[in-house]
Amino acid sequence: MTHTHTHGATHAGNDLAEGPGHLGDGRASDPAVAVTTDGLPAWLDPVAAAARSVRPQQLSRFLPPESGAGRQSAVLVLFGEGERGPELLLMERSGTLRSHAGQPSFPGGALDPEDGDQATTGPLRAALREAEEETGLDPRGVQLFGVLPRLYIPVSSFVVTPVLGWWRAPSPVGVVDPAETARVFTVPVADLTDPANRATAIHPSGHSGPAFLVESALVWGFTAGVIDRIVHYAGWERPWDRARQVPLDWRA
């Protein structure tokens, strides 16, 4: 896909996002993983603002155990500018994986020791490293502009830090390892906010949550939950039929 780059307004300040699950204030000591809102396109302003103020309970009812248990991980929520305007980068996991097989997701994975401190810049490095490993993304073209509170995926015991990025200098992306990834694709934000593409996914266990039917994929679970909350708190949400249901397979 051909990407175009639009220069947006320049914004003052290099502050890291603050609040529960965030990184404190000041600039990250490693410039490669600095979090800054400088030069963001204006359409991303509401996302950056939401990242600074949103609380964990506003994002999910599944929050990390107070005991500190769980496998620390991070995902890259990467916004770019495509042929149809703002878009998000997603990938579809291989159908042969043990967990979350065949599911569309953000690039990401568990923190490695070399990623550093899990309480500060570790999740930033992990999100960029995993995105590069899974999609071939050049992390040098990504500007990190916010961090959401840590969330929890009970089925896999992952404690996930969503890291927000602006694809300032787009690079080619695609499947790096077919054993891990089935495809890499972008979804226009306009499609994610289109009421015709929205539904409630119903799992045989009884769990229900938001879903998006986009790019011949059903996005549900953790990824859909994060997208749903970003769309909501950024003020992009349009009224949609929450009674429209999509049943999930028992293996999902």
Side-chain angles (χ1 to χ4, degrees):
M1 175 174 288
T2 302
H3 295 271
T4 56
H5 176 52
T6 302
H7 292 282
T10 299
H11 304 282
N14 291 309
D15 56 321
L16 288 167
E18 296 179 5
H22 294 106
L23 298 175
D25 52 19
R27 177 183 283 278
S29 57
D30 182 347
V33 291
V35 176
T36 173
T37 55
D38 283 3
L40 278 187
W43 59 266
L44 270 176
D45 285 350
V47 181
R52 286 192 293 269
S53 62
V54 72
R55 297 186 302 276
Q57 297 84 354
Q58 293 176 296
L59 294 176
S60 175
R61 59 191 177 94
F62 298 114
L63 302 179
E66 292 183 8
S67 65
R71 193 173 182 195
Q72 296 293 326
S73 62
V75 295
L76 182 64
V77 183
L78 185 60
F79 291 90
E81 189 88 39
E83 294 173 352
R84 293 182 50 214
E87 61 187 15
L88 265 180
L89 178 69
L90 295 177
M91 49 176 272
E92 195 169 300
R93 295 168 59 82
S94 168
T96 58
L97 292 175
R98 281 183 302 170
S99 63
H100 309 297
Q103 244 184 284
S105 68
F106 300 116
L111 270 65
D112 284 348
E114 58 266 31
D115 293 325
D117 185 359
Q118 67 183 36
T120 56
T121 54
L124 307 182
R125 289 194 190 89
L128 290 172
R129 175 183 54 75
E130 286 281 347
E132 181 176 15
E133 291 175 2
E134 292 177 331
T135 73
L137 171 80
D138 185 347
R140 293 172 298 181
V142 175
Q143 175 183 334
L144 303 181
F145 69 90
V147 182
L148 296 180
R150 288 179 175 86
L151 304 174
Y152 189 59
I153 304 180
V155 68
S156 55
S157 299
F158 275 112
V159 175
V160 188
T161 300
V163 179
L164 306 178
W166 158 236
W167 210 349
R168 184 173 39 79
S171 53
V173 291
V175 173
V176 175
D177 182 358
E180 285 195 5
T181 309
R183 66 172 173 144
V184 176
F185 59 102
T186 56
V187 180
V189 171
D191 287 353
L192 293 167
T193 58
D194 185 342
N197 298 331
R198 304 211 55 182
T200 298
I202 307 295
H203 193 274
S205 67
H207 174 71
S208 64
F212 300 84
L213 295 94
V214 289
E215 301 296 322
S216 69
L218 173 64
V219 184
W220 63 280
F222 174 84
T223 303
V226 172
I227 294 173
D228 172 75
R229 294 295 82 194
I230 288 175
V231 165
H232 175 77
Y233 288 111
W236 297 343
E237 188 173 36
R238 296 162 61 190
W240 58 281
D241 182 6
R242 295 169 189 271
R244 181 189 180 197
Q245 297 184 352
V246 176
L248 296 171
D249 188 278
W250 65 269
R251 291 167 297 186

